[in-house]
């Protein structure tokens, strides 16, 4: 199929024969439930890949964030620090617990939580006697946050860090895998993520108590008894064994899929390298998983705004999307407390996510690159 007749997607699912084989085998095994050998194996395999002792397979990354926060005791009256530049799920998980998100701005180069602003905010909140239950970090677009600086800051104030690694499976930070930082981490296997179970997620932690608690709450908090016995509110958050089988096949292809995304990323880096005023978000990080490649445009230097590039590509049926709209600018969080530098809003206004999926064909990538080249030629 030519890129001309089909929309080129930002990050479509990449499934093939191996996935069919695994799902069919699971179906034939009879384990068509949220328990079973594929789920157990998927949890073990992800835990091993990331290098954490415990993994709990869940129905979404959002559920993993929710249970991680509940496990840390987050509730009404507590504050949880959240990067303002993220997908809404990060902040929603805080709201589910009854705690209040307080937003902090990002590093202008990577888009990840700004350590200086975090230190400032924790000093202020602590001085005011506000109970801070957790700091959430996001490994934005598959590029790890600056854990070398963020972890000691959290330690200094005795606040646990929860890593939202939904976009970052396979990325590393100084040799350590995304999903291994902090007291707990969340992965997502949603359809647009680096690997998919159609819908799904996982909670990762070295804390056996927290893992056990998450497992308990994810199964409607059912207590061990012949009959149905419940002492607290639980959730129906477990991952299906069938979907775990899909995840196992995807995990086997993770490195190959990251390589493909990196090749696409490098092609964008090359085409923009000679253009004054355009850079790629987080381009300095060679250990990112290149989940989405985002161009950031300085219109004063280029002479054109990023929206014109988006419109040019849209006319060729190439899907693009602005970088996340920061949480402090969302109607949902109007009036929420936020410490701001302007960096997140800048990235939202001048950033554009480009087609980055591992399922893109060579022809589709060329179609996108030709579109970019054509646009750049027209503006020179
Ligand atoms: C996708 C995503 C989530 C939510 O994961 P789901 O599996 O879709 O619930 C959370 N945080 C970030 C940063 C994400 O990109």
């Amino acid at each position: 199929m030519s890129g001309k007749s089909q929309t080129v997607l930002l990050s479509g699912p990449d499934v093939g024969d191996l996935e069919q084989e695994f799902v069919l085998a699971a179906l034939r095994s009879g384990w068509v439930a949220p328990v079973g050998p594929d789920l157990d194996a998927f949890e073990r395999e992800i835990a091993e890949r990331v290098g954490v002792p415990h993994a709990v397979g869940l129905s979404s990354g959002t559920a993993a964030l929710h249970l991680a926060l509940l496990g840390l005791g987050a509730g009404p009256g507590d504050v949880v620090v959240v990067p303002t530049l993220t997908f809404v799920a990060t902040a929603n998980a805080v709201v589910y617990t009854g705690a209040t998100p307080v937003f902090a701005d990002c590093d202008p180069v990577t888009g990840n939580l700004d350590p200086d602003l975090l230190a400032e905010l924790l000093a202020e909140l602590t001085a005011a006697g506000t109970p801070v239950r957790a700091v959430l970090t996001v490994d934005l677009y598959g590029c790890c946050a600056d854990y070398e600086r963020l972890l000691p800051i959290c330690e200094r104030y005795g606040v646990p860090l929860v890593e939202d690694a939904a976009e970052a499976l396979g990325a590393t930070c100084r040799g350590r895998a995304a999903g291994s930082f902090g007291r707990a981490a969340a992965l997502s296997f949603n359809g647009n993520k680096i690997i998919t179970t159609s819908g799904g997620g996982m909670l990762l932690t070295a804390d056996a108590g927290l893992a056990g608690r998450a497992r308990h709450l994810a199964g409607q908090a059912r207590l061990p008894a012949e009959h149905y016995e419940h002492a607290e509110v639980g959730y129906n958050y477990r991952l299906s064994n069938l979907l775990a089988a899909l995840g196992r096949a995807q995990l086997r292809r993770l490195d190959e899929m990251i390589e493909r995304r990196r090749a696409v990323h490098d092609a964008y880096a090359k085409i923009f390298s000679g253009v004054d005023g355009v850079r790629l978000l987080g381009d300095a990080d060679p250990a990112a998983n290149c989940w989405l490649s985002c161009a950031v445009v300085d219109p004063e230097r280029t002479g054109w705004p990023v929206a014109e590039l988006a419109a040019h590509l849209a006319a060729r049926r190439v899907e693009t999307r602005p970088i996340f709209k920061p949480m402090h600018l969302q109607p949902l969080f109007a009036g929420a407390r936020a410490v701001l530098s302007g960096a997140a809003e800048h990235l939202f206004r001048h950033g554009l996510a480009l087609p980055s999926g591992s399922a893109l064909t060579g022809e589709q990538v060329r179609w996108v690159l030709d579109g970019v080249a054509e646009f750049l030629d027209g503006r020179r």
Side-chain angles (χ1 to χ4, degrees), residues 59-63 65 86-87 89-90 138 164 166-167 187-190 192-193 200-201 291 324:
S59 53
S60 71
T62 312
L65 290 169
T86 186
F87 180 54
T90 320
V138 176
D164 181 346
E167 303 171 358
L187 296 177
S188 168
F189 311 124
N190 196 34
N192 59 348
K193 296 292 158 67
W291 176 55
F324 290 128

mmCIF file of all heavy atoms in Angstrom, residues 59-63 65 86-87 89-90 138 164 166-167 187-190 192-193 200-201 291 324, ligand 1:
data_model
loop_
_atom_site.group_PDB
_atom_site.id
_atom_site.type_symbol
_atom_site.label_atom_id
_atom_site.label_comp_id
_atom_site.label_asym_id
_atom_site.label_seq_id
_atom_site.Cartn_x
_atom_site.Cartn_y
_atom_site.Cartn_z
ATOM 1 N N SER A 59 -5.207 -4.006 33.929
ATOM 2 C CA SER A 59 -6.003 -3.707 32.736
ATOM 3 C C SER A 59 -5.574 -2.426 32.039
ATOM 4 O O SER A 59 -5.970 -2.181 30.905
ATOM 5 C CB SER A 59 -7.480 -3.616 33.122
ATOM 6 O OG SER A 59 -7.638 -2.705 34.193
ATOM 7 N N SER A 60 -4.774 -1.587 32.704
ATOM 8 C CA SER A 60 -4.274 -0.362 32.060
ATOM 9 C C SER A 60 -3.117 0.227 32.858
ATOM 10 O O SER A 60 -2.917 -0.113 34.034
ATOM 11 C CB SER A 60 -5.387 0.697 31.942
ATOM 12 O OG SER A 60 -5.701 1.222 33.218
ATOM 13 N N GLY A 61 -2.406 1.128 32.200
ATOM 14 C CA GLY A 61 -1.358 1.872 32.900
ATOM 15 C C GLY A 61 -1.957 2.799 33.939
ATOM 16 O O GLY A 61 -1.367 3.025 35.000
ATOM 17 N N THR A 62 -3.125 3.335 33.652
ATOM 18 C CA THR A 62 -3.801 4.211 34.602
ATOM 19 C C THR A 62 -4.105 3.453 35.896
ATOM 20 O O THR A 62 -3.921 3.978 36.998
ATOM 21 C CB THR A 62 -5.110 4.753 33.988
ATOM 22 O OG1 THR A 62 -4.840 5.239 32.677
ATOM 23 C CG2 THR A 62 -5.695 5.866 34.820
ATOM 24 N N ALA A 63 -4.564 2.191 35.756
ATOM 25 C CA ALA A 63 -4.848 1.363 36.933
ATOM 26 C C ALA A 63 -3.565 1.144 37.743
ATOM 27 O O ALA A 63 -3.590 1.156 38.984
ATOM 28 C CB ALA A 63 -5.431 0.021 36.499
ATOM 29 N N LEU A 65 -0.977 3.178 37.979
ATOM 30 C CA LEU A 65 -0.694 4.423 38.714
ATOM 31 C C LEU A 65 -1.622 4.555 39.913
ATOM 32 O O LEU A 65 -1.188 4.910 41.018
ATOM 33 C CB LEU A 65 -0.879 5.635 37.786
ATOM 34 C CG LEU A 65 0.171 5.808 36.686
ATOM 35 C CD1 LEU A 65 -0.270 6.877 35.693
ATOM 36 C CD2 LEU A 65 1.529 6.175 37.288
ATOM 37 N N THR A 86 2.315 16.115 30.606
ATOM 38 C CA THR A 86 2.072 14.673 30.572
ATOM 39 C C THR A 86 0.709 14.418 29.965
ATOM 40 O O THR A 86 -0.045 15.347 29.670
ATOM 41 C CB THR A 86 2.162 14.061 31.984
ATOM 42 O OG1 THR A 86 2.050 12.630 31.893
ATOM 43 C CG2 THR A 86 1.048 14.572 32.889
ATOM 44 N N PHE A 87 0.401 13.128 29.786
ATOM 45 C CA PHE A 87 -0.939 12.711 29.398
ATOM 46 C C PHE A 87 -1.820 12.764 30.651
ATOM 47 O O PHE A 87 -1.344 12.533 31.766
ATOM 48 C CB PHE A 87 -0.870 11.286 28.844
ATOM 49 C CG PHE A 87 -2.187 10.724 28.415
ATOM 50 C CD1 PHE A 87 -2.989 11.400 27.507
ATOM 51 C CD2 PHE A 87 -2.627 9.513 28.919
ATOM 52 C CE1 PHE A 87 -4.211 10.867 27.111
ATOM 53 C CE2 PHE A 87 -3.840 8.974 28.532
ATOM 54 C CZ PHE A 87 -4.633 9.655 27.628
ATOM 55 N N ALA A 89 -3.797 10.923 32.122
ATOM 56 C CA ALA A 89 -3.922 9.752 33.001
ATOM 57 C C ALA A 89 -3.075 9.887 34.266
ATOM 58 O O ALA A 89 -3.477 9.428 35.342
ATOM 59 C CB ALA A 89 -3.528 8.483 32.244
ATOM 60 N N THR A 90 -1.889 10.500 34.133
ATOM 61 C CA THR A 90 -0.997 10.664 35.286
ATOM 62 C C THR A 90 -1.713 11.436 36.395
ATOM 63 O O THR A 90 -1.702 11.039 37.560
ATOM 64 C CB THR A 90 0.286 11.430 34.873
ATOM 65 O OG1 THR A 90 0.722 10.986 33.594
ATOM 66 C CG2 THR A 90 1.388 11.242 35.886
ATOM 67 N N VAL A 138 7.396 11.419 34.978
ATOM 68 C CA VAL A 138 6.986 10.819 33.705
ATOM 69 C C VAL A 138 8.213 10.734 32.803
ATOM 70 O O VAL A 138 8.974 11.700 32.706
ATOM 71 C CB VAL A 138 5.889 11.669 33.027
ATOM 72 C CG1 VAL A 138 5.526 11.097 31.661
ATOM 73 C CG2 VAL A 138 4.659 11.740 33.913
ATOM 74 N N ASP A 164 6.016 7.096 36.284
ATOM 75 C CA ASP A 164 5.078 6.810 35.196
ATOM 76 C C ASP A 164 5.920 6.512 33.950
ATOM 77 O O ASP A 164 6.323 7.418 33.221
ATOM 78 C CB ASP A 164 4.148 8.002 34.968
ATOM 79 C CG ASP A 164 3.140 7.750 33.851
ATOM 80 O OD1 ASP A 164 3.324 6.773 33.085
ATOM 81 O OD2 ASP A 164 2.173 8.529 33.738
ATOM 82 N N ALA A 166 4.906 4.724 31.443
ATOM 83 C CA ALA A 166 3.928 4.226 30.460
ATOM 84 C C ALA A 166 4.472 4.247 29.035
ATOM 85 O O ALA A 166 4.148 3.383 28.230
ATOM 86 C CB ALA A 166 2.647 5.055 30.540
ATOM 87 N N GLU A 167 5.304 5.251 28.736
ATOM 88 C CA GLU A 167 5.787 5.432 27.361
ATOM 89 C C GLU A 167 7.218 4.920 27.186
ATOM 90 O O GLU A 167 7.791 5.075 26.111
ATOM 91 C CB GLU A 167 5.742 6.935 27.019
ATOM 92 C CG GLU A 167 4.352 7.530 27.197
ATOM 93 C CD GLU A 167 4.315 9.053 27.091
ATOM 94 O OE1 GLU A 167 5.373 9.668 26.910
ATOM 95 O OE2 GLU A 167 3.211 9.609 27.202
ATOM 96 N N LEU A 187 3.718 0.768 33.827
ATOM 97 C CA LEU A 187 3.894 0.614 32.381
ATOM 98 C C LEU A 187 2.511 0.602 31.742
ATOM 99 O O LEU A 187 1.537 0.210 32.386
ATOM 100 C CB LEU A 187 4.588 -0.711 32.054
ATOM 101 C CG LEU A 187 6.020 -0.928 32.544
ATOM 102 C CD1 LEU A 187 6.481 -2.331 32.164
ATOM 103 C CD2 LEU A 187 6.957 0.123 31.971
ATOM 104 N N SER A 188 2.445 1.008 30.468
ATOM 105 C CA SER A 188 1.193 0.891 29.718
ATOM 106 C C SER A 188 1.420 0.035 28.477
ATOM 107 O O SER A 188 2.456 0.135 27.829
ATOM 108 C CB SER A 188 0.685 2.273 29.288
ATOM 109 O OG SER A 188 -0.360 2.120 28.332
ATOM 110 N N PHE A 189 0.429 -0.793 28.176
ATOM 111 C CA PHE A 189 0.442 -1.581 26.933
ATOM 112 C C PHE A 189 -0.768 -1.222 26.082
ATOM 113 O O PHE A 189 -1.373 -2.056 25.424
ATOM 114 C CB PHE A 189 0.447 -3.086 27.249
ATOM 115 C CG PHE A 189 1.469 -3.497 28.267
ATOM 116 C CD1 PHE A 189 1.087 -4.174 29.421
ATOM 117 C CD2 PHE A 189 2.817 -3.214 28.084
ATOM 118 C CE1 PHE A 189 2.024 -4.559 30.370
ATOM 119 C CE2 PHE A 189 3.769 -3.590 29.019
ATOM 120 C CZ PHE A 189 3.368 -4.270 30.168
ATOM 121 N N ASN A 190 -1.133 0.052 26.132
ATOM 122 C CA ASN A 190 -2.236 0.544 25.298
ATOM 123 C C ASN A 190 -1.849 0.403 23.816
ATOM 124 O O ASN A 190 -0.675 0.224 23.487
ATOM 125 C CB ASN A 190 -2.514 2.009 25.659
ATOM 126 C CG ASN A 190 -3.855 2.477 25.144
ATOM 127 O OD1 ASN A 190 -4.805 1.698 25.093
ATOM 128 N ND2 ASN A 190 -3.942 3.732 24.752
ATOM 129 N N ASN A 192 -1.305 2.283 21.373
ATOM 130 C CA ASN A 192 -0.352 3.187 20.711
ATOM 131 C C ASN A 192 1.027 3.158 21.382
ATOM 132 O O ASN A 192 1.924 3.881 20.981
ATOM 133 C CB ASN A 192 -0.893 4.616 20.732
ATOM 134 C CG ASN A 192 -1.150 5.126 22.141
ATOM 135 O OD1 ASN A 192 -1.133 4.358 23.102
ATOM 136 N ND2 ASN A 192 -1.390 6.407 22.270
ATOM 137 N N LYS A 193 1.208 2.327 22.389
ATOM 138 C CA LYS A 193 2.471 2.343 23.135
ATOM 139 C C LYS A 193 3.518 1.454 22.464
ATOM 140 O O LYS A 193 3.249 0.810 21.453
ATOM 141 C CB LYS A 193 2.220 1.934 24.599
ATOM 142 C CG LYS A 193 1.328 2.915 25.351
ATOM 143 C CD LYS A 193 2.001 4.259 25.580
ATOM 144 C CE LYS A 193 1.027 5.398 25.834
ATOM 145 N NZ LYS A 193 0.276 5.352 27.063
ATOM 146 N N GLY A 200 -3.827 -2.530 28.427
ATOM 147 C CA GLY A 200 -3.223 -3.211 29.573
ATOM 148 C C GLY A 200 -2.145 -2.367 30.199
ATOM 149 O O GLY A 200 -1.775 -1.318 29.672
ATOM 150 N N GLY A 201 -1.660 -2.824 31.347
ATOM 151 C CA GLY A 201 -0.602 -2.107 32.043
ATOM 152 C C GLY A 201 0.047 -2.999 33.075
ATOM 153 O O GLY A 201 -0.356 -4.160 33.234
ATOM 154 N N TRP A 291 9.850 6.481 21.460
ATOM 155 C CA TRP A 291 8.435 6.155 21.302
ATOM 156 C C TRP A 291 7.768 7.116 20.309
ATOM 157 O O TRP A 291 7.153 6.682 19.341
ATOM 158 C CB TRP A 291 7.703 6.184 22.653
ATOM 159 C CG TRP A 291 6.233 5.957 22.501
ATOM 160 C CD1 TRP A 291 5.638 4.895 21.873
ATOM 161 C CD2 TRP A 291 5.176 6.823 22.919
ATOM 162 N NE1 TRP A 291 4.271 5.049 21.895
ATOM 163 C CE2 TRP A 291 3.968 6.208 22.530
ATOM 164 C CE3 TRP A 291 5.136 8.038 23.600
ATOM 165 C CZ2 TRP A 291 2.727 6.784 22.790
ATOM 166 C CZ3 TRP A 291 3.909 8.603 23.868
ATOM 167 C CH2 TRP A 291 2.713 7.978 23.460
ATOM 168 N N PHE A 324 1.864 17.145 24.228
ATOM 169 C CA PHE A 324 0.786 17.209 25.233
ATOM 170 C C PHE A 324 0.488 18.640 25.687
ATOM 171 O O PHE A 324 1.397 19.410 25.952
ATOM 172 C CB PHE A 324 1.177 16.415 26.487
ATOM 173 C CG PHE A 324 1.208 14.928 26.273
ATOM 174 C CD1 PHE A 324 2.333 14.189 26.623
ATOM 175 C CD2 PHE A 324 0.124 14.249 25.739
ATOM 176 C CE1 PHE A 324 2.377 12.810 26.442
ATOM 177 C CE2 PHE A 324 0.152 12.874 25.555
ATOM 178 C CZ PHE A 324 1.280 12.157 25.909
HETATM 179 C C1 LIG B 1 -0.582 6.021 28.017
HETATM 180 C C2 LIG B 1 -0.185 6.748 29.255
HETATM 181 C C3 LIG B 1 -0.776 6.474 30.497
HETATM 182 C C4 LIG B 1 -1.981 5.596 30.658
HETATM 183 O O1 LIG B 1 -1.857 4.313 30.234
HETATM 184 P P1 LIG B 1 -3.203 3.504 29.813
HETATM 185 O O2 LIG B 1 -2.704 2.119 29.656
HETATM 186 O O3 LIG B 1 -3.696 4.114 28.544
HETATM 187 O O4 LIG B 1 -4.162 3.649 30.943
HETATM 188 C C5 LIG B 1 -0.298 7.121 31.613
HETATM 189 N N1 LIG B 1 0.698 8.012 31.532
HETATM 190 C C6 LIG B 1 1.286 8.324 30.358
HETATM 191 C C7 LIG B 1 2.394 9.312 30.367
HETATM 192 C C8 LIG B 1 0.851 7.719 29.182
HETATM 193 O O5 LIG B 1 1.403 8.066 28.014
#
